[in-house]
């Protein structure tokens, strides 16, 4: 099955994706998987989009047998596309053009400009991604449009290509391509070229050997002599979009008839078979021996439909045979089953076997008694399904199908690093092509990414995936159920012995029935008759068990089926183990990251905060955020993003977050803090940071971005600076949204340039929104559109920070984010003047007593008389030191917040130093007393001097 999505506008998405791909950027989500894989192959081959060296080879042709099959199809296809401006190209198995059927003049001129003409080598290693070369590389149909072409010269076109295979050997003999101008491209081109390729394959089957012709001729002669009558074929209606013909037979019915006819050919002891079809109808199949005049022996299978419309060609056009040899399908030397064909080439749905109806010409009716089943069929309107030799042909067909199944399994299993999804892919690939029901059971430890314990009987497993050709029987366990197999079951023996177990006849398998006799009897009654269990083993570890059941098809599992099941499970086991290991690493990194992120909201009154963190789907990143209380009732808001993903990014994030806390304790200004952080990241990048008994440098650190803001609730001033981080947004109380025009700064770790700050005055109730780039930018959305979307979502007045976070994530977060998202929303509060007292004091020792009196009076007004003695002593000591050691006026400030804050500022930049005075010293004990009497104290610097502050808990 081919899944194709039409590419979006080349001017926007694909051009940008193509340029980013050539520059080495990741573009997985922007480009279809098959196209991206082709681009990677082109890059590995050293192709340059603007410089191609295309070899030409004149006089190319295909063998006469193939051209006889292709010419009528190409003629018919060309006639149907005559008015559509589309060119048809036929290329050989190496991608070199043999023939081109031109479209309109404009298209011909454009194709001639790039020399897309006979002799042109369109193979992918030569001209890059295109309908011919990529169809060969992918070994299947492909649709390529516009900038999906790797080469610049091919981007004006849209094309669809499909390989043409030898229906019996499976070998690609040619490639058929439809090309038009890009604006005329349509996904239906893929269906057209695929149908034409199958028509050519069907006509190849008509070129049969004399052996098969003799077998079919012998069958026709026997039919005429035995029956004495034959009815003319009734032309069937065209096949509709769902694959049904005029008789209502769909693709599933046709496939079932084909398969059961093959089984009947290869079963010498069987003569009849009944096949239930859709609509309650029954097809009766009859196996006849055929012998030609030269001694050729074979088997023919006829069919008759009961309980529904008569069978008129099994959904394909039929016509009365003409005189002379009747062409039938040729299997080549292996003697594969063949199917009779008409002169008109219908669609071939499977390359190995083609089901057709061949009807002898009308003859006068001769009454015959219907005494046997064969006589009944002879007298009814029966049709020929297959002619072939028992055993040999079927085994060849089955071998080829097994190879195709293994090939598809390699492509479809393991597309993600998710354990459950990988198990589901195994079930999807094998049903219905190999089994009718598949169940995958894994221990919970594997789902968590852990190493599984030794599995055996009575080990509790979890059913993680099931797939059935019909609605799952209620008797079997469902997804999510806990399954504990008793030791006698095939599954328990399989786990215990780490070997596959096959039960061809489940009704005779007492150990399987012992699991739950009542339940299992219902399973048998539902038609389940055969079982293969295979252990999921990878790298010497058993990860679980897979159970394959058959119910719809009568043939039980055989030894060849057991080998195929083991190969399929082996491939899936490796993918599941890879997914398990990834899950373990992902969970470890996620646990580390969550342990390094804030656990709750710190106590502070400056802002009301809400935050969200969403880890990336592909791997844990280095995004972080913080709310850090500062001295003077201020608060610091931090959002940062470490480049990269995984454990290393999470660990680096933890280092930077710790460093920011340490720098905040020093009360550094925002620009100084980022300068210190920039220096730290540079040293970590050079391997100088925090290595333990290791001389190896840290790997993978390219840098980080950071936004740092400090808000003062007394002055309502907010100071911001950033290092390569996205702009913060400010939402005014009336809902007006503005992005702060903040100088960008360079990312952390590059060094050399100072960081600039911007100071804003925020109205009470304003919201400051900080975020990482994963919120507004991803592979499918540029940052400008993301910012516009964010602006529209934020522009709602009166919303709480929690509601703002929810609204932003609902509008902007992706279902499977490719990058981490950190979002921090802070609504500002104001510390009113009634809770702040300030005094400006002259530099005169006489004012110290006045300061003590002012402090005592203010505390009494606040009802904090209990703190009067201590605060009076602290203020007296700090004011005295400022007057003694500094210059200019002194400011004393008291603030009543969650704690009682006392600040003394002066014009000196000299930092006070706490020391322990000797017994004979007369001074030097002031700061020691301050430190003992208060909960915390410290110094912060301002543009005009410094501030010494203390903090005391409220009663």
């Amino acid at each position: 099955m081919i899944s194709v999505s039409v590419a979006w506008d080349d001017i926007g998405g694909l051009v940008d994706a193509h340029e980013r791909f050539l520059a080495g950027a990741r573009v997985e989500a922007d480009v279809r998987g098959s196209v991206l894989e082709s681009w990677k192959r082109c890059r590995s081959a050293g192709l340059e989009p603007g410089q191609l060296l295309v070899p030409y080879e004149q006089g190319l042709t295909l063998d006469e047998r193939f051209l006889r099959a292709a010419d009528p199809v190409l003629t018919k296809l060309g006639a149907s596309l005559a008015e559509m401006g589309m060119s048809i190209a036929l290329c050989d198995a190496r991608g070199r053009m043999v023939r081109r059927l031109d479209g309109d003049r404009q298209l011909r001129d454009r194709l001639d400009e790039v020399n897309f003409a006979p002799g042109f080598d369109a193979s992918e290693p030569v001209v890059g991604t295109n309908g011919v070369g990529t169809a060969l590389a992918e070994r299947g149909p492909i649709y390529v449009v516009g900038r999906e072409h790797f080469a610049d010269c091919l981007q004006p076109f849209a094309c669809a290509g499909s390989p043409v295979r030898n229906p019996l050997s499976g070998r690609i003999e040619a490639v058929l391509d439809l090309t038009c101008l890009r604006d005329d491209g349509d996904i239906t081109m893929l269906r057209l070229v695929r149908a034409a390729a199958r028509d050519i394959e069907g006509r190849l089957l008509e070129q049969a050997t004399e052996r098969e012709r003799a077998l079919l001729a012998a069958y026709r002669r026997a039919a005429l002599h035995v029956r004495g009558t034959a009815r003319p074929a009734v032309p069937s209606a065209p096949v509709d979009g769902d694959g049904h013909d005029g008789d209502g037979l769909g693709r599933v019915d046709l496939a079932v008839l084909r398969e059961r006819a093959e089984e009947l050919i290869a079963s010498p002891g069987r003569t009849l078979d009944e096949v239930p079809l859709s609509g309650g109808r029954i097809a009766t199949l009859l196996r006849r021996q055929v012998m030609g005049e030269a001694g050729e022996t074979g088997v023919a299978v006829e069919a008759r439909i009961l309980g529904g419309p008569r069978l008129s060609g099994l959904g394909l056009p039929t016509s009365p045979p003409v005189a002379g040899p009747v062409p039938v399908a040729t299997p080549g030397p292996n003697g594969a089953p063949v199917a009779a064909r008409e002169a008109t080439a219908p669609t071939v749905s499977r390359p190995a076997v083609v089901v057709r109806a061949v009807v002898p010409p009308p003859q006068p009716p001769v009454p015959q008694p219907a005494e046997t089943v064969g006589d009944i069929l002879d007298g009814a309107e029966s049709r020929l399904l297959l002619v072939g030799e028992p055993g040999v042909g079927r085994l060849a067909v089955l071998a080829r199908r097994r190879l195709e199944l293994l090939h598809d399994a390699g492509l479809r299993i393991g597309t993600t690093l998710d354990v459950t999804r990988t198990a589901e892919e195994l079930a999807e690939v094998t049903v219905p092509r190999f089994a009718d029901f598949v169940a995958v059971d894994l221990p919970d430890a594997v789902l968590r990414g852990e190493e599984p314990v030794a599995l055996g009987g009575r080990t509790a497993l979890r059913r993680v995936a099931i797939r059935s050709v019909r609605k799952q029987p209620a008797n079997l366990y469902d997804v999510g159920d806990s399954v504990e197999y008793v030791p006698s079951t095939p599954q328990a023996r399989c786990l215990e012995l780490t070997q596959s177990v096959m039960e061809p006849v489940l009704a005779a398998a007492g150990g399987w029935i012992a699991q739950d006799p009542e339940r299992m009897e219902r399973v048998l009654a539902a038609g389940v008759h055969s079982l293969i269990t295979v252990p999921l083993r990878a790298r010497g570890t058993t990860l679980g068990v897979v159970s394959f059941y058959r119910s719809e098809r009568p043939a039980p599992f055989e030894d060849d089926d057991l080998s195929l099941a083991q190969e399929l499970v082996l491939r899936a086991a490796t993918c599941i183990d890879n997914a398990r290991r990834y899950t373990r690493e992902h969970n470890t990194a996620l646990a580390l990251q969550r342990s390094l992120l804030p656990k709750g909201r710190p106590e502070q009154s400056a802002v009301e905060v809400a935050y969200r963190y969403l880890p990336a789907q592909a791997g844990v990143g280095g995004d972080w955020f913080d709310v850090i209380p500062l001295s003077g009732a201020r608060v610091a808001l931090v959002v940062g993003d470490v480049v990269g993903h995984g454990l290393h990014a999470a660990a680096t994030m933890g280092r930077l977050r710790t460093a920011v806390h340490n720098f905040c304790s020093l009360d550094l200004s925002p620009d100084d803090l980022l300068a210190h952080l920039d220096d730290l990241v540079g040293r970590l990048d050079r391997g100088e940071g925090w290595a333990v008994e290791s001389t190896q440098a840290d790997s993978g650190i390219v840098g980080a971005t950071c936004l740092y803001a400090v808000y003062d609730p007394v002055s309502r001033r907010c100071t911001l600076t950033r290092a390569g981080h996205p702009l913060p947004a400010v939402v005014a109380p009336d809902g007006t949204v503005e992005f702060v025009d903040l100088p960008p700064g360079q990312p952390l770790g590059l060094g050399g340039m100072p960081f600039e700050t911007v100071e804003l005055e925020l109205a009470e109730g304003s919201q400051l929104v900080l975020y990482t780039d994963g919120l507004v930018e991803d592979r499918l959305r540029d940052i400008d559109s993301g910012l516009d979307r964010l602006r529209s979502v934020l522009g709602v007045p009166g919303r709480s920070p929690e509601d703002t976070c929810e609204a932003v994530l609902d509008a902007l977060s992706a279902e499977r984010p490719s990058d981490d998202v950190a979002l921090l929303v802070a609504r500002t509060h104001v510390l009113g003047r009634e809770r702040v007292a300030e005094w400006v004091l002259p530099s005169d020792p006489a004012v110290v007593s006045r300061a003590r009196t002012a402090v005592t009076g203010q505390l009494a007004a606040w009802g904090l008389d209990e703190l009067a003695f201590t605060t009076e002593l602290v203020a007296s000591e700090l004011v005295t030191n400022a007057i003694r050691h500094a210059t200019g006026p002194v400011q004393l400030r008291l603030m009543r917040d969650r704690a009682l804050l006392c600040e003394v500022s002066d014009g000196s930049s000299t930092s006070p130093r706490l020391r322990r005075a000797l017994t004979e010293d007369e001074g030097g004990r002031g700061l020691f007393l301050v430190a003992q009497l208060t909960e915390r104290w410290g110094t912060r610097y301002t543009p005009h001097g410094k501030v010494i502050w203390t903090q005391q808990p409220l009663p």
Side-chain angles (χ1 to χ4, degrees):
M1 183 176 291
I2 306 299
S3 177
V4 178
S5 60
V6 180
W8 71 95
D9 183 25
D10 289 348
I11 303 304
L14 275 178
V15 172
D16 178 63
H18 193 266
E19 292 176 352
R20 288 189 286 118
F21 173 80
L22 295 176
R26 295 169 61 89
V27 296
E28 278 82 352
D30 300 344
V31 185
R32 288 193 286 125
S34 57
V35 173
L36 180 59
E37 291 302 317
S38 175
W39 285 5
K40 292 178 180 179
R41 292 192 296 267
C42 296
R43 183 170 58 186
S44 300
L47 292 183
E48 294 291 337
Q51 300 177 358
L52 297 180
L53 181 61
V54 183
Y56 282 80
E57 187 170 342
Q58 300 299 329
L60 294 174
T61 187
L62 296 170
D63 65 75
E64 185 180 352
R65 173 190 59 86
F66 184 89
L67 293 177
R68 283 200 309 269
D71 283 345
V73 177
L74 296 181
T75 301
K76 182 178 179 181
L77 181 62
S80 65
L81 301 177
E83 304 299 328
M84 299 179 63
M86 197 169 296
S87 175
I88 305 171
L90 182 64
C91 304
D92 63 15
R94 292 171 52 185
R96 300 170 302 179
M97 188 185 299
V98 176
R99 183 184 302 175
R100 189 183 92 187
L101 281 68
D102 289 333
D104 58 23
R105 184 175 185 82
Q106 181 184 8
L107 177 60
R108 289 199 304 270
D109 293 342
R110 296 298 296 273
L111 292 175
D112 291 340
E113 289 177 6
V114 297
N115 297 322
F116 191 70
F120 183 91
D121 189 344
S123 59
E124 192 178 76
V126 175
V127 297
T129 309
N130 70 94
V132 176
T134 306
L136 277 176
E138 295 283 338
R139 303 186 65 81
I142 189 72
Y143 177 71
V144 182
V145 57
R147 188 67 272 181
E148 288 184 333
H149 289 92
F150 190 79
D152 294 340
C153 63
L154 298 181
Q155 68 89 18
F157 304 103
C159 56
S162 176
V164 183
R165 299 174 180 269
N166 184 308
L168 295 168
S169 69
R171 185 183 43 144
I172 295 176
E173 296 199 4
V175 182
L176 189 61
D177 173 86
L178 299 181
T179 298
C180 65
L181 295 177
R182 182 186 64 190
D183 294 339
D184 298 330
D186 191 280
I187 196 64
T188 56
M189 294 168 59
L190 188 66
R191 180 176 59 82
L192 292 174
V193 73
R194 185 166 49 185
R198 288 182 173 177
D199 284 349
I200 296 175
E201 292 171 352
R203 294 187 63 85
L204 286 172
L205 284 174
E206 296 176 1
Q207 303 174 30
T209 64
E210 292 297 329
R211 181 180 182 84
E212 287 93 28
R213 289 179 181 173
L215 286 174
L216 185 62
Y219 165 80
R220 294 179 61 206
R221 286 193 300 271
L224 290 175
H225 287 95
V226 173
R227 301 175 188 174
T229 181
R231 303 183 184 182
V234 180
S236 63
V239 176
D240 63 21
D242 295 327
H244 295 86
D245 69 344
D247 294 324
L249 289 175
R251 294 189 179 93
V252 175
D253 291 336
L254 298 177
V256 170
L257 285 172
R258 279 192 290 267
E259 187 168 341
R260 298 290 279 273
E262 294 168 10
E263 294 174 357
L264 198 57
I265 283 181
S267 304
R270 296 172 57 195
T271 303
L272 290 172
D273 194 4
E274 287 191 349
V275 183
L277 302 176
S278 61
R281 294 169 296 180
I282 299 294
T284 302
L285 306 184
L286 175 64
R287 182 180 189 272
R288 295 182 183 275
Q289 294 290 334
V290 180
M291 179 173 291
E293 294 179 346
E296 304 91 347
T297 58
V299 176
V301 176
E302 301 173 347
R304 181 192 176 212
I305 304 296
L306 303 175
R310 60 184 176 181
L311 180 65
S312 58
L314 296 181
L316 297 168
T318 59
S319 58
V322 296
V326 179
V328 295
T330 172
N334 61 12
V338 298
R341 291 298 306 262
E342 297 74 44
T344 302
T347 300
V348 180
S349 57
R350 285 207 284 186
V353 179
V354 183
V355 182
R356 298 295 181 265
V358 171
V359 185
Q363 298 290 332
V366 178
Q368 298 254 343
E371 298 179 354
T372 66
V373 176
D375 293 333
I376 294 174
L377 286 177
D378 289 339
E381 187 173 340
S382 58
R383 297 293 185 266
L384 174 64
L385 287 182
L386 293 176
V387 175
E389 296 180 79
V392 178
R394 177 174 177 268
L395 292 178
V397 171
L398 292 179
R400 189 156 55 251
R401 289 181 184 170
R402 291 187 178 105
L403 289 176
E404 292 173 355
L405 179 57
L406 288 174
H407 173 73
D408 289 348
L411 295 177
R412 295 173 57 187
I413 298 176
T415 60
T416 68
L417 287 173
D418 181 84
V419 173
T420 300
R421 180 57 193 149
T422 305
E424 292 172 348
E425 289 170 343
L426 170 62
E428 291 169 0
V429 167
T430 52
V431 174
R433 297 169 64 179
F434 176 69
D436 299 319
F437 182 87
V438 173
V440 183
D441 303 322
L442 304 175
D444 290 336
V446 172
L447 297 175
R448 295 191 299 266
E450 303 169 2
E451 291 285 347
V453 297
L455 301 180
R458 295 295 183 182
T459 299
L461 302 176
R462 183 77 57 190
R463 179 143 297 178
V464 298
I466 56 174
R467 187 80 170 183
S468 177
V469 294
R470 57 181 177 176
K471 186 177 181 181
Q472 180 203 358
N475 342 330
L476 292 175
Y477 300 101
D478 204 349
V479 170
D481 290 347
S482 179
V483 184
E484 189 173 310
Y485 291 108
V486 300
S488 64
T489 59
Q491 288 86 350
R493 293 177 2 234
C494 168
L495 293 172
E496 188 71 30
L497 303 175
T498 65
Q499 294 180 355
S500 302
V501 177
M502 181 172 66
E503 294 287 357
V505 183
L506 271 181
W512 177 77
I513 296 176
Q515 171 73 21
D516 186 339
E518 183 178 351
R519 177 193 294 266
M520 297 311 164
E521 288 295 341
R522 292 198 301 268
V523 172
L524 293 175
V528 177
H529 60 78
S530 187
L531 166 67
I532 290 178
T533 63
V534 184
L536 272 161
R537 286 183 57 80
R539 302 178 177 94
T541 302
T542 302
L543 305 174
V545 64
V546 184
S547 302
F548 301 95
Y549 294 89
R550 279 189 177 172
S551 60
E552 299 297 314
R553 62 193 82 192
F557 285 117
E558 303 171 351
D559 290 339
D560 288 341
D561 296 318
L562 181 62
S563 300
L564 177 59
Q566 291 170 337
E567 182 67 25
L568 289 168
V569 173
L570 177 62
R571 299 188 181 198
T574 302
C575 297
I576 288 178
D577 192 50
N578 290 338
R580 178 190 66 83
R581 291 167 180 261
Y582 170 79
T583 301
R584 179 185 60 193
E585 297 298 326
H586 180 78
N587 291 342
T588 301
L590 190 59
L592 172 63
Q593 185 185 44
R594 293 194 181 281
S595 70
L596 296 173
L597 289 171
K599 297 296 187 297
R601 297 174 176 86
E603 293 185 359
Q604 50 81 34
S605 303
V607 292
E608 176 189 353
V609 297
Y611 52 80
R612 296 291 187 274
Y613 171 77
L614 299 179
Q617 184 70 28
V620 175
D623 292 15
W624 90 92
F625 60 91
D626 248 320
V627 179
I628 307 173
L630 301 176
S631 63
R634 300 170 304 140
V635 66
L637 306 173
V638 192
V639 170
D641 184 1
V642 176
V643 175
H645 291 84
L647 278 173
H648 189 74
T652 303
M653 176 270 289
R655 294 179 178 184
L656 298 186
R657 180 169 179 256
T658 301
V660 170
H661 275 264
N662 291 335
F663 294 147
C664 284
S665 68
L666 299 176
D667 263 323
L668 298 178
S669 63
D671 52 338
D672 285 343
L673 186 143
L674 285 192
H676 282 75
L677 204 60
D678 177 56
D679 179 64
L680 173 62
V681 173
R683 288 188 288 111
L684 290 176
D685 200 19
R686 295 189 297 270
E688 302 175 9
W690 307 6
V692 180
E693 297 182 1
S694 174
T695 59
Q696 294 184 352
D698 289 330
S699 60
I701 301 178
V702 177
T705 66
C706 184
L707 174 62
Y708 184 81
V710 175
Y711 173 68
D712 186 344
V714 177
S715 65
R716 296 189 288 111
R717 307 293 294 180
C718 183
T719 306
L720 305 98
T721 185
R722 64 172 177 151
H725 204 79
L727 291 172
V730 174
V731 184
D734 62 359
T736 304
V737 180
E738 290 188 7
F739 290 99
V740 181
D741 188 12
L742 189 60
Q746 58 189 8
L748 300 174
L750 300 182
M753 296 296 292
F755 296 97
E756 301 181 50
T757 60
V758 168
E759 192 172 88
L760 307 173
E761 182 172 326
L762 302 179
E764 183 177 6
S766 299
Q767 289 191 0
L768 189 61
V769 181
L770 285 65
Y771 51 91
T772 55
D773 59 356
L775 179 69
V776 295
E777 183 180 23
D778 57 32
R779 294 167 183 166
L780 301 177
R781 177 180 59 195
D782 60 42
I783 191 168
D784 291 333
S785 62
L787 291 175
D788 291 341
R789 180 62 177 152
L790 178 61
R791 181 192 298 273
S792 64
V793 174
L794 292 176
V796 177
R799 215 161 33 189
S800 68
E802 285 289 343
D803 292 340
T804 300
C805 285
E806 290 295 330
V808 168
L809 291 185
D810 288 344
L812 280 86
S813 63
E815 182 179 352
R816 299 172 65 89
S818 58
D819 194 8
D820 290 24
V821 174
L823 173 65
L824 178 63
V825 178
R827 182 163 61 184
T828 62
H829 294 166
V830 174
L831 197 62
R833 304 307 302 177
E834 70 280 2
R835 299 170 65 184
V836 180
E838 294 181 327
W839 300 274
V840 178
L841 307 174
S843 182
D844 182 356
V847 303
V848 175
S849 61
R850 196 172 70 191
R852 289 197 297 266
T853 302
V855 168
T856 303
Q858 185 62 56
L859 292 179
W862 285 343
L864 299 176
D865 298 283
E866 298 178 27
L867 300 178
F869 176 77
T870 302
T871 308
E872 179 184 359
L873 180 60
V874 169
S876 174
E877 183 62 36
L878 294 180
V879 170
T880 300
N881 284 344
I883 293 174
R884 178 178 300 175
H885 301 290
T887 60
V890 176
Q891 185 181 52
L892 172 63
R893 183 165 73 166
L894 290 181
M895 290 180 289
R896 182 182 178 182
D897 190 29
R898 292 177 178 270
L900 179 62
L901 307 176
C902 179
E903 296 182 347
V904 175
S905 58
D906 58 53
S908 173
S909 298
T910 303
S911 175
R913 182 171 61 91
L914 178 65
R915 67 184 182 90
R916 186 177 296 276
L918 300 177
T919 55
E920 63 271 15
D921 290 345
E922 294 184 0
R925 297 177 178 84
L927 283 181
F928 178 77
L929 290 174
V930 169
Q932 294 297 313
L933 294 173
T934 60
E935 185 179 48
R936 296 174 57 208
W937 78 280
T939 304
R940 69 174 182 269
Y941 295 94
T942 68
H944 309 292
K946 69 176 181 296
V947 176
I948 302 176
W949 57 270
T950 64
Q951 177 177 309
Q952 302 174 68
L954 296 176

